[in-house]
Amino acid sequence: MPSNDVESYLDHTNLTAADFTAFEQLLAAQRDRRPYTDSDWRLVLSSSARDGDGRWESTYALFRPGAAFGSPSVDDETYMRVYFDEDGRALPDHPHAPGSLPPFAAELAEHLPGWTVQASPLAPGRNLAELRSQAWGWGRLPWNTASAPHTALILTGPDGERLLAVRTSADAPLLVGAARPDNVPAYDPRAVHLPTPVAFPAGAPPAAVAAELTTTLGPRCQQAAWQARASAATHAVEALRRLSTAYIPAPGDPWGHGEIGSFDSQEDRNRAAWPYTETLIDQGPYLVAGIRSAATIEDHLDPAIGPDLRQLHVTETALDRLREVRDGWRADMAAITGDRAAAERARDRAEDLRNQEAWQCAAPLTNGPLPALAAHVAPRIGSPEPNREQQVKAALARTGPVHGHSAAAATSPVPPTPGALRCAR
């Protein structure tokens, strides 16, 4: 598999019946543990999934192209991803745009102002595999990658909540549960409470379904997404803190080698830190925006949390700079040319530079306020927004003026301090 963070999967457009026959024969040979080779394709890996009762759910394989598709490019590894049914027959991948909304979905959309309702394509293979990957916390799914449900809808709310609605047949109940938020990485499942899918009778009025989604299921999905993002970001910050205390021996110093928490060089330490830094790049902006939206006047006046809120701009600046580092690295990687050996050396240099810059820019996040603030506002995510005017009055009544400044001044964003964050370019 590729080692440079780039994966490319070829489209099926130019494949022929002979290619799919080769895929099936290669997979069957691997399953039966017998030798088989093909001049145009090589099986790299295969994977099958079954549910808790042993029922088949999905099978896919990755194939490496040979002479038929030319030599692989120097800047990435290229694969063909192919899905199969339970009997090992290949499912040609012809993804298509979602069709028009069925009447029920169109009427449901009318009762969900600010939401988007989109029909999911249901072609066997990749479409159904991607639909399965959207289901978040559903447990056993009522469809597989070869047999499609009757209807599948993706519903996206104005505050980022995402729901998946599936009807297995024309007269079956409508199952609605959480859809996986974009860019949510691995997290501690003990920290996330995923809502259980809700079954609506086949004849349920769209208005009643919409009311349940907006008042109950949607907010629970918001809360679960926040918990997942906060859990991933907190884990990343804790990992960076541990790495910041790792022992790195000076050149020629034999002490510390092999110790727990030690690295042979700064490059090794920076390389280990990059995945955690990238988690913060992806999740940090969501958390910062949510904190700013959920923070109250009382928070700004609270001596326990107010200073952290007033330092949030330092976190934003660090995240912006880290995004620039990643964007610059991706541009450098795309521009690499030359033979394979030269390209590998150029990729290694680009990654080392990326890791070095990212480590320096991530320093303000290591001891920053993001995890604490995310935990502080977590109970408010998905809850109705409080009345701001009453909030101000209550805060002033409890705290009074702060050092001669008004409450309104306390809520004003603090502009970034010039030179608050300097990173080596």
Side-chain angles (χ1 to χ4, degrees), residues 250-265:
D253 177 9
W255 302 105
H257 284 276
E259 291 183 0
I260 296 176
S262 69
F263 290 90
D264 289 340
S265 65

Side-chain angles (χ1 to χ4, degrees), residues 297-307 310 376 399:
I297 179 65
E298 194 164 11
D299 291 327
H300 286 272
L301 295 174
D302 186 343
I305 204 73
R310 290 189 284 276
H376 179 74
T399 63

Side-chain angles (χ1 to χ4, degrees), residues 21-36 43 45-48 50 56 59-61 63 84-90:
T21 298
F23 297 149
E24 292 171 356
Q25 291 173 342
L26 285 165
L27 185 68
Q30 184 194 62
R31 181 193 59 206
D32 299 338
R33 298 182 180 180
R34 56 180 172 81
Y36 178 81
L43 177 59
L45 64 85
S46 65
S47 176
S48 291
R50 293 183 178 273
W56 177 85
T59 296
Y60 79 90
F63 297 91
F84 297 82
D85 65 15
E86 187 174 9
D87 297 321
R89 289 186 291 265

Side-chain angles (χ1 to χ4, degrees), residues 216-254:
T216 303
L217 197 54
R220 288 177 182 171
C221 288
Q222 279 184 268
Q223 293 164 2
W226 183 267
Q227 291 163 355
R229 295 188 192 282
S231 171
T234 299
H235 175 71
V237 167
E238 291 172 349
L240 291 176
R241 286 175 184 164
R242 290 193 298 271
L243 290 172
S244 69
T245 62
Y247 181 83
I248 301 175
D253 177 9

Side-chain angles (χ1 to χ4, degrees), residues 334-407:
I336 290 175
T337 58
D339 60 44
R340 181 170 291 276
E344 285 291 343
R345 290 193 296 271
R347 281 198 295 268
D348 290 342
R349 287 194 299 270
E351 288 183 2
D352 284 342
L353 179 60
R354 173 203 69 185
N355 297 340
Q356 177 185 354
E357 290 190 291
W359 175 260
Q360 294 168 342
C361 293
L365 302 174
T366 304
N367 295 303
L370 195 61
L373 290 175
H376 179 74
V377 304
R380 306 172 194 170
I381 303 300
S383 300
E385 186 173 343
N387 183 292
R388 291 291 185 181
E389 184 177 351
Q390 292 183 1
Q391 226 177 28
V392 171
K393 291 179 180 179
L396 288 174
R398 279 190 287 270
T399 63
V402 179
H403 301 300
H405 294 287
S406 67

Side-chain angles (χ1 to χ4, degrees), residues 277 280-281 311-325 357-358 360-366 420-423:
T277 305
L280 292 174
I281 296 173
Q311 288 299 309
L312 196 55
H313 68 279
V314 177
T315 296
E316 286 184 294
T317 305
L319 291 171
D320 288 343
R321 178 65 188 117
L322 285 169
R323 238 180 346 262
E324 291 175 7
V325 169
E357 290 190 291
Q360 294 168 342
C361 293
L365 302 174
T366 304
L421 177 65
R422 298 182 184 276
C423 298

Side-chain angles (χ1 to χ4, degrees), residues 49-345:
R50 293 183 178 273
D51 64 19
D53 296 326
R55 288 177 293 197
W56 177 85
E57 293 181 324
S58 176
T59 296
Y60 79 90
L62 298 185
F63 297 91
R64 192 81 164 83
F69 283 80
S71 300
S73 60
V74 297
D75 60 340
D76 66 5
E77 296 272 354
T78 308
Y79 299 88
M80 181 69 68
R81 181 190 288 267
V82 182
Y83 288 91
F84 297 82
D85 65 15
E86 187 174 9
D87 297 321
R89 289 186 291 265
L91 302 171
D93 183 2
H94 300 297
H96 53 79
S100 58
L101 290 177
F104 173 86
E107 190 174 349
L108 179 63
E110 294 177 0
H111 293 281
L112 292 170
W115 289 61
T116 61
V117 179
Q118 187 177 31
S120 178
L122 299 174
R126 187 172 75 178
N127 284 160
L128 295 181
E130 291 178 349
L131 183 64
R132 289 178 62 83
S133 70
Q134 291 287 316
W136 201 33
W138 281 52
R140 182 184 299 165
L141 298 176
W143 76 93
N144 56 45
T145 52
S147 178
H150 177 271
T151 306
L153 308 171
I154 298 291
L155 299 85
T156 305
D159 295 315
E161 56 269 62
R162 298 184 77 242
L163 300 172
L164 173 62
V166 175
R167 200 188 297 277
T168 56
S169 63
D171 57 353
L174 182 72
L175 299 174
V176 186
R180 183 174 295 277
D182 294 333
N183 277 333
V184 168
Y187 56 87
D188 182 354
R190 295 169 298 181
V192 181
H193 305 289
L194 295 172
T196 303
V198 176
F200 295 93
V209 175
E212 175 70 15
L213 301 186
T214 54
T215 60
T216 303
L217 197 54
R220 288 177 182 171
C221 288
Q222 279 184 268
Q223 293 164 2
W226 183 267
Q227 291 163 355
R229 295 188 192 282
S231 171
T234 299
H235 175 71
V237 167
E238 291 172 349
L240 291 176
R241 286 175 184 164
R242 290 193 298 271
L243 290 172
S244 69
T245 62
Y247 181 83
I248 301 175
D253 177 9
W255 302 105
H257 284 276
E259 291 183 0
I260 296 176
S262 69
F263 290 90
D264 289 340
S265 65
Q266 290 183 348
E267 288 78 8
D268 289 343
R269 189 270 316 277
N270 297 346
R271 187 178 302 112
W274 171 250
Y276 304 112
T277 305
E278 192 163 36
T279 294
L280 292 174
I281 296 173
D282 290 334
Q283 306 308 318
Y286 289 96
L287 296 177
V288 169
I291 290 166
R292 290 205 182 281
S293 176
T296 66
I297 179 65
E298 194 164 11
D299 291 327
H300 286 272
L301 295 174
D302 186 343
I305 204 73
D308 282 349
L309 285 169
R310 290 189 284 276
Q311 288 299 309
L312 196 55
H313 68 279
V314 177
T315 296
E316 286 184 294
T317 305
L319 291 171
D320 288 343
R321 178 65 188 117
L322 285 169
R323 238 180 346 262
E324 291 175 7
V325 169
R326 184 171 67 177
D327 291 346
W329 164 70
R330 287 176 172 173
D332 290 344
M333 295 290 282
I336 290 175
T337 58
D339 60 44
R340 181 170 291 276
E344 285 291 343
R345 290 193 296 271

